[in-house]
Amino acid sequence: MELCVALDRPSLDENLELVNIIKAHDLWLKIGFRSYIRDGKRIIDELKNINPSFKIFLDLKLYDIPNTMADASEEIADLGIDMFNVHASAGQRAMTTVMERLKKRENRPLVLGVTALTSFDNREFIDVYGSPIPKKGIQFAKDSFESGLDGVVSSVFESNSIKENTSSSFLTLTPGIRPFGESSDDQKRVGNIYVARNQRVDFIVVGRPIYNSEDPKGSVEKILTELSTSESKSCEI
Ligand code: C5P
């Protein structure tokens, strides 16, 4: 299981300040709407300057007509990032078109489908999608798998079921992680590291519990230590 730190600070300088504090670790870093709309490609270049081994997840959740999504995916691949995502609710034709375009490239980024945003509770999700999260979320995961994506973004509670309905190697990335039970903020479906391990999650995304903590470096190290202990525990089983 890998740690992906969400860079959602209010300015480029504050994001870079955070990254400089944690740069000793070859982490995954998540650039979302806020940072990318404000800073564009510059933030990617600055992060790679700080540590070329950082892996970058560009969390822009594409949703548009198939051709526009595929065009945007090619532009994203040209940025040299390592992973990005699209909304699975954009449909199988859109996702397949994206993958057809990207597979012509030698080093394409990983592509994930967003199933259900972790800020939705079941009632809100039904209002938008007409079915409950456990049912529709799995359907979105199956659609992503059949369209050739590498994995999905889901809540921590759906990861096992997604793997059982697709493949154990189909990646799951889960935001809404409060590693040691910190405040859930605006997230509705949050879980800790132990839940994530039991759910065979591949990437945990952690934002506020790290950057709002008094000691972000200490927080990252505590999480990494727990993850490596978890890995060795699961190897022993
Ligand atoms: O601060 P926190 O740990 O809640 O940050 C979670 C991050 O993951 C935010 O950047 C949020 O936009 C993102 N995200 C999410 N739920 C999704 C997909 C992405 O919370 N389904």
Side-chain angles (χ1 to χ4, degrees):
M1 190 155 68
E2 301 207 48
L3 170 63
C4 182
V5 179
L7 302 180
D8 293 328
R9 304 299 296 127
S11 70
L12 177 62
D13 284 349
E14 284 162 279
N15 275 329
L16 296 180
E17 187 189 343
L18 170 67
V19 171
N20 269 305
I21 292 172
I22 57 179
K23 69 180 174 193
H25 306 283
D26 295 345
L27 297 161
W28 278 83
L29 301 173
K30 184 175 89 64
I31 302 174
F33 274 165
R34 184 181 200 175
S35 300
Y36 196 72
I37 287 171
R38 189 187 52 226
D39 306 321
K41 187 173 186 304
R42 181 170 167 208
I43 186 167
I44 297 169
D45 297 338
E46 299 266 9
L47 296 175
K48 292 278 183 185
N49 271 340
I50 293 173
N51 177 352
S53 300
F54 282 144
K55 299 267 192 194
I56 313 255
F57 168 35
L58 193 58
D59 178 22
L60 298 183
K61 304 185 187 72
L62 303 188
Y63 186 107
D64 211 309
I65 60 171
N67 186 61
T68 303
M69 283 176 63
D71 286 345
S73 301
E74 290 203 276
E75 298 291 347
I76 287 173
D78 284 343
L79 295 172
I81 53 92
D82 304 281
M83 179 157 71
F84 73 97
N85 55 2
V86 302
H87 270 286
S89 55
Q92 284 212 43
R93 189 155 59 84
M95 291 192 281
T96 308
T97 310
V98 165
M99 297 316 288
E100 286 292 320
R101 247 354 141 78
L102 289 179
K103 83 176 178 212
K104 296 176 191 148
R105 293 167 172 263
E106 263 185 29
N107 278 324
R108 70 162 178 84
L110 296 169
V111 187
L112 305 181
V114 178
T115 58
L117 297 175
T118 43
S119 54
F120 273 134
D121 63 20
N122 206 33
R123 183 70 259 157
E124 291 167 332
F125 188 84
I126 291 170
D127 286 345
V128 178
Y129 294 104
S131 324
I133 293 171
K135 187 168 172 232
K136 194 73 187 172
I138 295 296
Q139 187 57 53
F140 282 147
K142 283 184 180 171
D143 292 347
S144 305
F145 180 66
E146 283 165 18
S147 305
L149 269 67
D150 303 289
V152 285
V153 182
S154 72
S155 96
V156 66
F157 303 103
E158 286 126 38
S159 175
N160 264 334
S161 164
I162 286 167
K163 285 176 186 281
E164 275 152 25
N165 281 278
T166 56
S167 155
S168 57
S169 60
F170 194 55
L171 301 171
T172 54
L173 174 143
T174 64
I177 298 294
R178 295 299 177 258
F180 305 103
E182 298 88 340
S183 153
S184 57
D185 304 295
D186 64 338
Q187 301 280 22
K188 297 272 173 66
R189 290 172 298 129
V190 300
N192 60 31
I193 290 188
Y194 311 100
V195 176
R197 185 179 68 215
N198 288 335
Q199 286 276 342
R200 294 183 285 161
V201 166
D202 298 284
F203 298 90
I204 53 169
V205 175
V206 186
R208 284 164 287 189
I210 291 174
Y211 63 70
N212 284 342
S213 93
E214 284 184 2
D215 176 15
K217 183 165 186 269
S219 298
V220 164
E221 285 168 357
K222 194 170 161 205
I223 296 169
L224 291 175
T225 302
E226 187 52 47
L227 292 184
S228 61
T229 316
S230 309
E231 305 280 297
S232 56
K233 270 185 200 152
S234 45
C235 290
E236 281 163 22
I237 293 168

